[in-house]
Amino acid sequence: MTPLLPGATLGVMGGGQLGRMFVHAAQQLGYVTAVLDPDPSSPAGQVAHHHVHADYLDPQGLARLADLSQAITTEFENVPAPALERLASQRFVAPHAGAVAIAQDRAREKAHFEKCGVPCAPHLLIESSEHLDAVRPELLPGILKTARLGYDGKGQQRVATHEELARAWDAFKRVPCVLEKLLPLDFECSVVVARGADGGMVHLPVARNLHRDGILAVSEVFEGNVPEAPGRAAIEATCAIAQGLGYVGVLCVEFFGLADGSLVVNEMAPRPHNSGHWSLDGSDVSQFELQVRTLAGLPLAKPRQHSAAVMLNLLGDLWFLSGREAPPPWAPVLALPGVHLHLYGKETARPGRKMGHLTVTAPDASGARRVAREAAQLLGIAPF
Ligand code: ATP
Ligand code: MG
């Protein structure tokens, strides 16, 4: 494909923080940007050159985005696949609707992982009472996850017994679900890969992730963050998964490392990922620049990590620690060396809402961890 050079307009479906950071990266390279999002004050809409206020399936809004943009990507994994198909009839769209549709459905996603030879947690698709009755005791205790529309731990319920499972499925209104065996996790990690239209791939180093209440809390990226063999396996699996999808764009795959040294895949996101935010400050090419490069058909520069990095998510909870809504104490945190604060421009804080993140960079892992712990303490983030 002939590259779209700076000056062209790049469009993005969705106006959240991932879209905002994509827009920043595109603008740095000299592109014009357009965002489609129904929210008039969306984080990406605030900073893009063009903001189309429309619903994701609104034909007029989609036509407007296609008129404005030479190529279009997505930042929101629940963008309806038909909307991407519609855009693709007019413009280059990456990732393609087929890959996004697979990532939107846990059952199809797991089938794809298995097809690529990457092991998943033992699981069973539950779509009918017969499936429910067929659940073997080995799958319990487990986690019931809705097949579609889950994120940040929403649409998930831990179940220890068959009765709890039946109740949880009722509570999810009996929509298609996947029951997964609860595994003893040694660690969690993820890999961000970028794949170009020519099939070339580059990836970020493995991030080690700590989740709290189903939401990513901390990502640590430095030499030795995860054991070597599963770390290598995670990178190979991510590349195989991207290649198997014929993927173009940035893809993140999340994994569980188990106590016996084995690795199983959890899920994938067809877009940059929270666990790759550190690359804005700790790598010479960020995951958002890679998204721009894949979309524009530019060469994919191999990212080189130049600093050890620890990323802390800033959830809305931090705005309520004093009992009333007040922003966290930014000034003393910004006085610490190597702190990079990113706030997403969201007007209202709510518990569990991702308001921003901060990345601590340092020449070595112990320095990055030490400052990250100080920052966490100042902000009221639980110790890690
Ligand atoms: P996100 O959108 O933040 O990635 P999600 O809602 O898609 O989250 P999952 O990634 O499926 O949810 O699960 C969230 C977290 O719950 C995992 O990161 C892990 O900590 C825990 N978890 C999920 N599945 C299992 C499992 N089978 N065994 C043990 N822990 C699990
Ligand atoms: Mg997840």
Side-chain angles (χ1 to χ4, degrees):
M1 119 186 206
T2 324
L4 283 172
L5 295 174
T9 302
L10 301 181
V12 54
M13 287 289 281
Q17 62 266 21
L18 300 175
R20 178 179 174 104
M21 291 182 270
F22 167 81
V23 163
H24 286 152
Q27 291 176 343
Q28 181 179 320
L29 279 163
Y31 289 94
V32 180
T33 51
V35 166
L36 183 144
D37 191 286
D39 173 3
S41 63
S42 73
Q46 289 169 20
V47 297
H49 296 79
H50 305 281
H51 185 178
V52 181
H53 299 162
D55 190 76
Y56 300 116
L57 276 170
D58 171 24
Q60 275 177 346
L62 293 171
R64 173 87 181 124
L65 183 69
D67 282 345
L68 285 167
S69 318
Q70 270 90 66
I72 299 162
T73 188
T74 172
E75 64 103 42
F76 171 52
E77 67 198 89
N78 291 323
V79 162
L84 295 180
E85 270 156 24
R86 190 180 184 113
L87 292 169
S89 67
Q90 258 181 290
R91 295 291 180 216
F92 178 65
V93 172
H96 60 83
V100 174
I102 292 173
Q104 284 173 348
D105 184 323
R106 285 188 194 275
R108 294 186 66 190
E109 180 176 66
K110 283 179 160 49
H112 178 71
F113 295 153
E114 283 171 344
K115 195 180 98 189
C116 297
V118 184
C120 306
H123 62 276
L124 187 73
L125 178 63
I126 296 187
E127 283 182 313
S128 66
S129 335
E130 289 74 41
H131 293 157
L132 196 68
D133 295 338
V135 168
R136 291 164 288 127
E138 302 90 84
L139 278 179
L140 297 170
I143 306 188
L144 186 69
K145 303 180 177 182
T146 58
R148 301 174 62 82
L149 299 174
Y151 70 100
D152 288 349
K154 295 185 177 69
Q156 298 206 1
Q157 182 63 50
R158 293 192 176 207
V159 291
T161 62
H162 210 277
E163 294 67 54
E164 281 181 21
L165 170 64
R167 244 179 288 138
W169 194 45
D170 279 342
F172 287 148
K173 307 218 158 65
R174 299 188 160 222
V175 295
C177 284
V178 172
L179 173 68
E180 250 177 67
K181 186 178 171 63
L182 190 66
L183 298 175
L185 309 188
D186 183 26
F187 63 89
E188 296 189 55
C189 68
S190 56
V191 177
V192 169
V193 68
R195 189 170 183 273
D198 63 357
M201 285 187 264
V202 298
H203 62 83
L204 294 176
V206 179
R208 181 180 181 131
N209 302 324
L210 171 72
H211 290 83
R212 286 188 178 126
D213 303 324
I215 307 179
L216 182 69
V218 183
S219 289
E220 296 188 305
V221 192
F222 39 69
E223 204 64 45
N225 60 348
V226 299
E228 205 179 309
R232 233 184 0 249
I235 291 170
E236 280 166 18
T238 302
C239 292
I241 288 164
Q243 186 155 347
L245 288 167
Y247 198 84
V248 178
V250 169
L251 176 79
C252 178
V253 184
E254 294 180 79
F255 299 89
F256 300 142
L258 307 185
D260 65 2
S262 62
L263 186 83
V264 302
V265 60
N266 174 25
E267 59 171 357
M268 63 180 170
R271 49 167 175 77
H273 192 257
N274 199 163
S275 64
H277 290 359
W278 69 274
S279 61
L280 287 166
D281 304 299
S283 169
D284 62 354
V285 185
S286 75
Q287 60 171 350
F288 300 102
E289 178 168 342
L290 290 172
Q291 188 182 18
V292 173
R293 286 176 180 246
T294 54
L295 185 62
L298 294 172
L300 295 185
K302 189 172 160 52
R304 290 176 301 190
Q305 181 172 10
H306 52 69
S307 299
V310 178
M311 190 271 332
L312 304 178
N313 257 346
L314 303 172
L315 299 183
D317 308 63
L318 303 181
W319 273 247
F320 295 96
L321 295 179
S322 58
R324 60 187 171 80
E325 188 172 343
W330 302 127
V333 172
L334 288 168
L336 298 170
V339 165
H340 310 273
L341 177 64
H342 299 257
L343 292 171
Y344 306 146
K346 295 183 184 179
E347 276 162 22
T348 20
R350 278 193 303 272
R353 189 174 200 205
K354 289 176 176 170
M355 301 299 288
H357 71 271
L358 70 81
T359 299
V360 178
T361 54
D364 56 40
S366 61
R369 284 188 129 174
R370 181 169 40 74
V371 174
R373 291 202 164 106
E374 281 178 58
Q377 187 171 21
L378 285 165
L379 292 169
I381 297 173
F384 56 93

